[in-house]
Amino acid sequence: MQSAAAAAAAACIGTLLRCRCSLDPDPARKQGSTRVGFATAKRRPRAVTCKRLLHPTARVDAAARDGVDSDGGGVTRKRLAVFVSGGGSNYRAIHEAAGHGRVNGDVVALVTDKPGCGGAEHARGNGVPVIVYPKSKAAPEGVSTPELLNALRELKVDFVLLAGYLKLVPVELVQAYPRSILNIHPSLLPAFGGKGYYGLKVHKAVIASGARYSGPTVHFVDEHYDTGRTLAQRVVPVLTNDTPEQLAARVLHEEHQVYVEAVSALCDDRIVWREDGVPLIRCCINPDKYT
């Protein structure tokens, strides 16, 4: 199983999350989803996190699922499964942030369709179990969808994070983890998203279009490519003489920051769903403001 849990999270003001907040949009209550399964590993100790003050007309999705103190007490440390297909730089950023207490969670599984990829090697080297999915000719050791779901349940996974995973996740996974799966995409969705838009292909298309701005988008995952609700974005200028590689490097730098911040909010139960279905991040310093 995973190596020992990291040190306690930093105090609220030390959080990475930039609170560029808007006024309270009066979000509606939304019932959280259930988490099933039995743990095969010992629960990690709780980290010190911001005290949560819930708005009277809204609640944080998933609070009930993890036994959170409804009076604003400590938040249970979350268990994360990360899906990768390549080097896994966003996975590494999240794993490092969790290890340094900036994310109130632990990566308890890495799922990949390419067992020899850099992300999988990093996970093995750090004691993170690797699950190969799906089963294929190239990866005969892979598991089926029911086996994947059973493994995630046995590990008591709270949230699924896609970090450069190029396969479309099965609908069964989306249904098993409603509003609990995040993905990061290297463009300002809905522009330059969908099947076939990944890696340098995205940045080549951005430059060819003449767009002046690009940047990463963190979004919730539904049954389709890149169509789930947007949670966070960062804007990166497209320079006059940019190559796809140069633009990709600047966007990737922002990816590592915004994804960690979004995952931190998710693990702190600071995601609030507006009544029209738009997810917002509650500011950890002022609970009446949102990013």
Side-chain angles (χ1 to χ4, degrees):
M1 295 301 296
Q2 190 178 6
S3 55
C12 175
I13 295 179
T15 184
L16 282 179
L17 186 61
R18 299 188 180 114
C19 292
R20 295 171 292 192
C21 305
S22 58
L23 294 179
D24 183 0
D26 191 27
R29 293 177 180 268
K30 189 71 181 178
Q31 183 65 33
S33 60
T34 58
R35 175 172 54 84
V36 297
F38 299 93
T40 57
K42 206 175 200 178
R43 269 284 185 183
R44 301 291 183 183
R46 291 185 178 183
V48 178
T49 57
C50 303
K51 186 175 182 179
R52 299 180 305 111
L53 300 175
L54 298 184
H55 192 275
T57 60
R59 64 165 295 164
V60 178
D61 195 65
R65 177 179 61 222
D66 292 293
V68 176
D69 182 354
S70 60
D71 291 329
V75 180
T76 303
R77 194 166 180 84
K78 301 304 190 295
R79 298 170 67 81
L80 312 172
V82 184
F83 285 48
V84 306
S85 290
S89 66
N90 276 300
Y91 148 67
R92 297 179 194 215
I94 293 166
H95 185 267
E96 180 182 353
H100 286 84
R102 291 182 283 122
V103 168
N104 186 33
D106 297 296
V107 179
V108 299
L110 182 131
V111 180
T112 182
D113 60 319
K114 297 180 179 179
C117 70
E121 292 301 320
H122 181 277
R124 293 187 187 101
N126 285 272
V128 178
V130 174
I131 301 171
V132 179
Y133 173 82
K135 185 175 183 178
S136 65
K137 290 182 179 180
E141 70 272 41
V143 299
S144 66
T145 296
E147 289 171 329
L148 172 65
L149 293 175
N150 285 336
L152 298 181
R153 287 166 182 152
E154 288 175 359
L155 290 168
K156 298 197 79 172
V157 168
D158 296 293
F159 299 116
V160 173
L161 310 174
L162 308 186
Y165 185 70
L166 301 182
K167 298 283 187 179
L168 184 66
V169 297
V171 64
E172 294 90 343
L173 182 66
V174 177
Q175 292 172 348
Y177 288 89
R179 292 184 169 180
S180 297
I181 307 176
L182 289 181
N183 181 46
I184 189 160
H185 183 77
S187 74
L188 295 174
L189 293 175
F192 309 104
K195 187 174 182 179
Y197 278 103
Y198 61 89
L200 285 180
K201 292 182 179 181
V202 173
H203 307 296
K204 289 178 181 178
V206 169
I207 292 172
S209 76
R212 278 19 178 204
Y213 297 95
S214 189
T217 298
V218 179
H219 65 93
F220 282 91
V221 173
D222 58 18
E223 295 84 355
H224 308 287
Y225 283 109
D226 304 326
T227 57
R229 292 288 191 167
T230 295
L231 178 62
Q233 290 181 315
R234 289 287 181 84
V235 175
V236 173
V238 180
L239 305 182
T240 304
N241 297 316
D242 258 341
T243 66
E245 291 79 9
Q246 290 170 332
L247 179 58
R250 291 203 310 281
V251 171
L252 185 63
H253 176 75
E254 295 298 323
E255 286 183 36
H256 294 163
Q257 297 182 53
V258 71
Y259 209 3
V260 167
E261 293 173 2
V263 172
S264 177
L266 189 68
C267 291
D268 284 346
D269 292 340
R270 288 188 287 109
I271 307 301
V272 175
W273 291 83
R274 210 166 61 188
E275 63 181 2
D276 60 356
V278 173
L280 304 171
I281 296 176
R282 187 189 298 279
C283 181
C284 71
I285 298 175
N286 185 341
D288 291 322
K289 291 187 178 181
Y290 303 82
T291 59

